[in-house]
Amino acid sequence: MKLKGEKRESSDCDEGSKGKMTFLLALVALISAFGSSFQYGYNVSVINSPAPYMQDFYNRTYFNRTGVPMDSGFQTLLWSLTVSMYPLGGLFGSLMVWPMVNNCGRKGTLLINNLFSITAAILMGTSEIAKTFEVIILSRVIMGIYAGLASNVVPMFLGEISPKNLRGAMGIVPQLFISIGILVAQIFGLSSILGNVEGWPVLLGLTGIPSLIQLLILPFFPESPRYLLLQKGNEEEARQALQRLRGWDDVDDEIEEMRQEDQSEKEEGHFTVLSLCTFRGLRWQLISIIVMMMGQQLSGVNAVFYYADRIFQSAGVDGNNVQYVTVSIGAINVVMTLLAVFIVESLGRRVLLLAGFGLCCVSCAVLTLALNLQTTVSWMSYLSIVCVIVYIIGHAIGASPIPFLLITEMFLQSSRPAAFMVGGSVHWICNFTVGLVFLYMEAGLGAYSFLIFCAICLATIVYIFIIVPETKNKTFMEINRIMAKRNKVEIQGDKEKLKDFHTVPGGQTEKKEFASIEL
């Protein structure tokens, strides 16, 4: 076991910045994801179960104020706002990513972000006592802003503090906690727990607890070493942060890799969203994250969850037990995302993306057939259930977790905040659009809606197969060189001599110098 202060032997350096999972690194990932990503998932599904009781509260409050019952059209409008303000807030939060992470740091942004969550939790938890439904709608916007920041900053933070051989697994941890958040909200939302007339304000207010825990613990953990060195120019603090995270003092290889990245970026400076969109050297990276984010949200995941209750009821599940079936789907989502954490470094990003979108594509096609034939063929309703489960598995291993991970990997320090801002904005705009349009699609097309999702999944698969490279176990600079060839540009830092370590037969470590690489 390596102790802090112990130098690694030269033979340990043969893979550059390869490192092990230390207790501190695991703790940073746990606190960051639980305090931030968990709440994104929790607030996605928290209002589903208590919806009838909340709508009754809206109606009762309105009647007490005006003396007349609320018009059904107005009630529908208010509930639509309650649901849709969350993704709209998420868009606003994504637009705040670039200025906040550059000025406050990654850790600093997460700490400030907790104030949004705690404020919203207090407002939602006390809304019934205060007899005001307006604050619930306002709080959904605030929680959306929180989720918009969290969904972008946590993957960025964990990607930057991880050694390259653990970056994939660490990058999926936020998505794992999002799915755990959805599952916990579904469990707490059961009618026997908090999904009832007395419990729903508590159910909404619980979202502040993870934020409070993160606010108390996260300050004791290090900031992103890349942020400290490349953006603040403080090598001493960056080195100390890296030593704490790695558990040893010899972090020269990673510091050198950061310097190469810094040298490569000197000419461009820090990117704004506008300069990112017009810079030829990052063209395919930008197109790739937009395509993957659109594929992630427009692939029909919301529609599958929407149809799930109906599909299980048609297969003979009792109406009162459907809530338990929903929880079981949430549990499958968690288990498969957990599996992705363990297999992403062995199978790679491309395989999981292609397999994930492939399963979603096939499931949507077969589900269209099964839903149309279930009235005439008795066993088709069971095939529908299989399709739902296969779809959830596909989305959990590839479509949900990998796109955010690839934003971290495909961009360097100067362009990463702007890239997350673009990717996050596309994510939330598509989320909002699906929520807005799907009910009309379902009314007009019925089960054939899934053919549209099938086509979107297929188009995403083709794009990923042709364009997106494998990034497993590569440094940010190595990935940047791969994409530079596709963009037909030259890397600035490649005019410098690059140093690397290679192991020769007999276990000796040999230092080689490589001449500049013209791309």
Side-chain angles (χ1 to χ4, degrees), residues 120-423:
I122 293 169
L123 289 174
M124 288 191 291
T126 58
S127 58
E128 190 182 33
I129 299 168
K131 293 183 169 53
T132 169
F133 53 77
E134 291 85 354
V135 298
I136 296 178
I137 297 171
L138 173 65
S139 298
R140 291 285 289 174
V141 179
I142 297 170
M143 278 312 306
I145 293 171
Y146 175 88
L149 277 164
S151 63
N152 290 290
V153 180
V154 177
M156 188 191 305
F157 181 46
L158 296 186
E160 288 181 3
I161 66 173
S162 305
K164 67 180 182 180
N165 61 305
L166 296 175
R167 204 169 54 227
M170 291 283 278
I172 294 178
V173 167
Q175 184 60 41
L176 173 63
F177 274 83
I178 289 171
S179 58
I180 291 172
I182 293 172
L183 177 61
V184 170
Q186 289 169 341
I187 293 170
F188 284 180
L190 293 172
S191 55
S192 57
I193 304 177
L194 290 173
N196 49 56
V197 70
E198 297 90 10
W200 68 262
V202 179
L203 183 66
L204 298 182
L206 285 176
T207 190
I209 293 174
S211 277
L212 196 58
I213 293 170
Q214 188 184 75
L215 200 57
L216 294 172
I217 298 176
L218 195 62
F220 298 102
F221 295 141
E223 175 59 275
S224 161
R226 287 180 176 274
Y227 171 76
L228 293 171
L229 179 62
L230 304 184
Q231 288 180 252
K232 303 300 284 184
N234 192 329
E235 183 175 330
E236 187 53 40
E237 279 191 32
R239 188 177 290 275
Q240 288 173 6
L242 209 49
Q243 287 167 346
R244 286 183 65 195
L245 289 164
R246 298 294 176 262
W248 50 53
D249 278 351
D250 184 11
V251 292
D252 292 341
D253 291 341
E254 284 192 78
I255 294 289
E256 180 58 33
E257 190 251 315
M258 289 182 206
R259 285 205 193 101
Q260 288 175 15
E261 183 177 329
D262 192 34
Q263 184 63 37
S264 171
E265 295 182 304
K266 278 271 194 281
E267 302 252 331
E268 286 91 22
H270 287 292
F271 285 84
T272 62
V273 171
L274 182 62
S275 60
L276 176 67
C277 293
T278 55
F279 183 62
R280 182 186 164 191
L282 294 171
R283 182 180 299 162
W284 281 107
Q285 288 97 312
L286 187 66
I287 294 170
S288 296
I289 63 160
I290 289 172
V291 169
M292 285 187 288
M293 282 298 173
M294 288 180 72
Q296 180 196 67
Q297 289 300 306
L298 301 179
S299 58
V301 64
N302 296 351
V304 169
F305 275 108
Y306 176 81
Y307 257 94
D309 290 1
R310 200 182 306 181
I311 288 166
F312 282 101
Q313 281 180 322
S314 68
V317 177
D318 185 80
N320 295 323
N321 294 328
V322 166
Q323 57 179 344
Y324 299 105
V325 173
T326 307
V327 169
S328 67
I329 290 176
I332 292 169
N333 195 17
V334 170
V335 170
M336 296 314 298
T337 311
L338 182 61
L339 176 65
V341 171
F342 292 104
I343 63 175
V344 67
E345 296 298 356
S346 55
L347 294 182
R349 286 63 155 155
R350 263 173 65 89
V351 171
L352 288 186
L353 275 173
L354 292 170
F357 277 110
L359 287 174
C360 292
C361 182
V362 172
S363 298
C364 285
V366 177
L367 190 57
T368 306
L369 180 71
L371 289 173
N372 279 297
L373 294 178
Q374 67 182 8
T375 51
T376 52
V377 184
S378 59
W379 53 269
M380 279 293 172
S381 56
Y382 299 104
L383 181 61
S384 300
I385 292 175
V386 172
C387 288
V388 168
I389 293 169
V390 170
Y391 183 95
I392 297 300
I393 290 170
H395 221 272
I397 62 168
S400 285
I402 307 295
F404 275 112
L405 166 61
L406 285 178
I407 300 179
T408 304
E409 295 191 323
M410 292 174 83
F411 292 87
L412 298 182
Q413 196 73 17
S414 61
S415 54
R416 194 173 292 126
F420 264 102
M421 192 164 154
V422 172

Side-chain angles (χ1 to χ4, degrees), residues 486-499:
R486 189 168 291 285
N487 289 317
K488 296 182 171 59
V489 295
E490 181 186 330
I491 302 287
Q492 291 297 326
D494 286 341
K495 293 178 180 176
E496 304 279 323
K497 285 187 176 181
L498 304 181
K499 295 179 179 181

